[in-house]
């Protein structure tokens, strides 16, 4: 037992060896190390800024989607054709943006508007696009049910 302890204590501490070699490397390559740290910090800041931008875009798209749904519901209650046209315009704009599921939800509504206007082929195309491209199972089921209703 004592022999193993002596052998273990004779070996240098792995952390100290790593720390000493790292500090020696930094001393010898200080400019490159500082440049690498700056590049890393800039990359992290750019990634964070990009994530904030995407979040902002998604929030705007969801707000537009909510406005379009409100206009669509107004059409459903009053039959106001202007509300339907407004909803259709906003749904079209939102569906063009590739923002998570928001665009696919807009396409489902657009399909319903096309169906209400008697444009069954256009509605079928929109529903099939959601069915083919969306990864959300609930949206796929809605598209399937809408396609069954059209057929």
């Amino acid at each position: 037992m004592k022999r193993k302890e002596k052998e273990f204590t004779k070996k240098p501490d792995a952390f100290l060896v790593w720390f000493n070699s790292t500090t020696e490397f930094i001393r010898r390559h200080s400019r490159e190390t500082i440049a690498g740290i700056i590049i890393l910090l800039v990359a992290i800041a750019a990634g964070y800024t990009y994530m904030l931008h995407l979040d902002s875009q998604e929030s705007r798209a969801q707000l537009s989607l909510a406005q379009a749904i409100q206009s669509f519901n107004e059409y459903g209650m009053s039959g106001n054709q202007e509300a339907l046209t407004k909803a259709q315009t906003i749904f079209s704009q939102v569906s063009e943006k590739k923002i998570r599921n928001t665009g696919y939800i807009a396409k489902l509504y657009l399909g319903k508007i096309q169906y209400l206007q008697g444009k069954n082929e256009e509605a079928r195309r929109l529903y099939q696009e959601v069915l083919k491209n969306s990864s959300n199972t609930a949206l796929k089921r809605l598209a399937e049910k809408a396609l069954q209703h059209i057929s």
Side-chain angles (χ1 to χ4, degrees), residues 42-149:
V42 167
I44 289 170
Y48 182 71
T49 303
Y50 182 68
M51 292 302 293
L52 288 176
H53 172 71
L54 288 180
D55 190 44
S56 172
Q57 273 189 324
E58 183 177 358
S59 295
R60 279 186 263 143
Q62 287 179 354
L63 178 62
S64 295
L65 183 66
Q67 291 171 341
I69 291 171
Q70 185 178 10
S71 293
F72 184 76
N73 288 338
E74 182 183 329
Y75 166 76
M77 288 188 282
S78 67
N80 182 353
Q81 196 63 34
E82 288 179 24
L84 183 65
T85 304
K86 179 181 176 184
Q88 186 174 10
T89 302
I90 297 172
F91 284 135
S92 293
Q93 292 168 351
V94 172
S95 70
E96 291 172 4
K97 300 174 184 170
K98 306 291 186 211
I99 300 176
R100 297 188 187 163
N101 291 322
T102 308
Y104 295 123
I105 294 169
K107 286 183 190 226
L108 289 173
Y109 273 99
L110 272 175
K112 185 164 185 158
I113 291 172
Q114 297 298 327
Y115 176 75
L116 291 173
Q117 294 175 340
K119 300 175 183 175
N120 292 351
E121 289 305 313
E122 180 63 20
R124 182 176 286 113
R125 184 191 65 76
L126 289 164
Y127 292 140
Q128 286 173 342
E129 190 175 331
V130 171
L131 193 60
K132 178 182 174 188
N133 298 325
S134 177
S135 60
N136 186 306
T137 54
L139 295 179
K140 284 185 172 187
R141 272 193 232 117
L142 289 171
E144 286 174 350
K145 287 187 183 239
L147 283 168
Q148 290 172 357
H149 188 72

